[in-house]
Amino acid sequence: GDSGGIGFSIGGGGDSGGIGFSIGGGGDGGSGGGVGSRRPFHTRLAEQDFRAAVVDELLELRAFLKQRASDLRGKEATSLLSSAPACVQSYAASDALHALADAVAAPVAVLRDDAARRLLLISTSRRYRDRLVADLDAKAALEGKLLGALREQEDKRGELRLSHKQSLARADALRKALREVKEAVEEAVSKQYKGRATHIIGEINNVLG
């Protein structure tokens, strides 16, 4: 017809029987939006409408194969196939048609996948590649800023650890000096009381503990 699409047939002529299908375009096959456009197929796959049209055709093919497989399970079809050439039997057997129908699911899944869509756009669209490069550059710049901020935080943490270590050292020195003062005071007081043992009690011992 003039609307383009995929035509399917299963049959045999002489010894060359088999399954046939064709992708056709409307009118003279110009640059219209149908599946049969003369534009390179892989470039058209980047277009959402075209991918949807191909998916529709593949789903139609899958339904066609399943229906023919179901039809071939009938007694009449089985009888006809038993006398058909071997090449026809291999392609037209119900199990073979079911296998072909299941195989159609793989390209349908790929065409519906967002990752595949992005890869197609990368391969066919300079504008998309430029935008992707700009996005990656922006993310790289942001990553650089975040890494710089992280390094600053690490430097500050290092400074805080050093400051804390120095504070602990000063505190240890103060405790040591305070302990020496306490011992000197206790010794002086003990001498005043004829050598009686003297111990200073109170918060100072908590500090020295």
Side-chain angles (χ1 to χ4, degrees), residues 13-204:
D15 294 333
S16 60
I19 298 175
F21 68 92
S22 61
I23 301 178
D28 59 358
S31 59
V35 172
S37 172
R38 288 182 177 178
R39 288 177 53 191
F41 188 77
H42 73 283
T43 63
R44 302 216 56 208
L45 283 176
E47 303 170 10
Q48 182 175 352
D49 291 343
F50 182 75
R51 286 199 313 278
V54 173
V55 167
D56 288 343
E57 299 285 8
L58 288 173
L59 292 176
E60 182 181 342
L61 171 60
R62 188 166 187 264
F64 171 79
L65 291 171
K66 283 186 172 293
Q67 182 59 49
R68 292 307 298 265
S70 177
D71 293 343
L72 289 174
R73 291 187 183 277
K75 292 182 178 180
E76 182 178 352
T78 302
S79 176
L80 289 174
L81 281 176
S82 64
S83 59
C87 59
V88 174
Q89 293 186 30
S90 64
Y91 279 103
S94 179
D95 291 342
L97 291 178
H98 270 297
L100 290 173
D102 291 338
V104 174
V108 169
V110 170
L111 289 171
R112 286 176 168 175
D113 185 60
D114 286 340
R117 179 186 63 82
R118 289 192 292 269
L119 288 175
L120 287 167
L121 286 172
I122 289 173
S123 67
T124 59
S125 173
R126 181 179 181 83
R127 176 183 293 181
Y128 183 83
R129 291 196 296 271
D130 291 342
R131 186 167 69 249
L132 184 60
V133 169
D135 290 342
L136 291 174
D137 286 342
K139 290 180 179 179
L142 178 59
E143 181 184 17
K145 291 180 180 179
L146 292 175
L147 288 174
L150 180 60
R151 285 192 292 269
E152 290 180 3
Q153 291 298 320
E154 289 293 334
D155 291 342
K156 289 180 179 179
R157 288 180 61 184
E159 293 173 359
L160 288 173
R161 285 193 294 266
L162 178 60
S163 177
H164 180 64
K165 185 177 180 180
Q166 292 173 343
S167 296
L168 291 177
R170 287 194 295 269
D172 288 340
L174 287 173
R175 279 194 294 269
K176 181 179 180 180
L178 184 58
R179 184 174 290 107
E180 292 174 353
V181 171
K182 176 177 177 288
E183 291 174 353
V185 170
E186 289 175 342
E187 183 179 355
V189 172
S190 178
K191 287 180 179 179
Q192 291 180 4
Y193 290 92
K194 299 179 181 181
R196 181 180 296 177
T198 303
H199 300 286
I200 299 175
I201 62 175
E203 290 298 327
I204 189 173

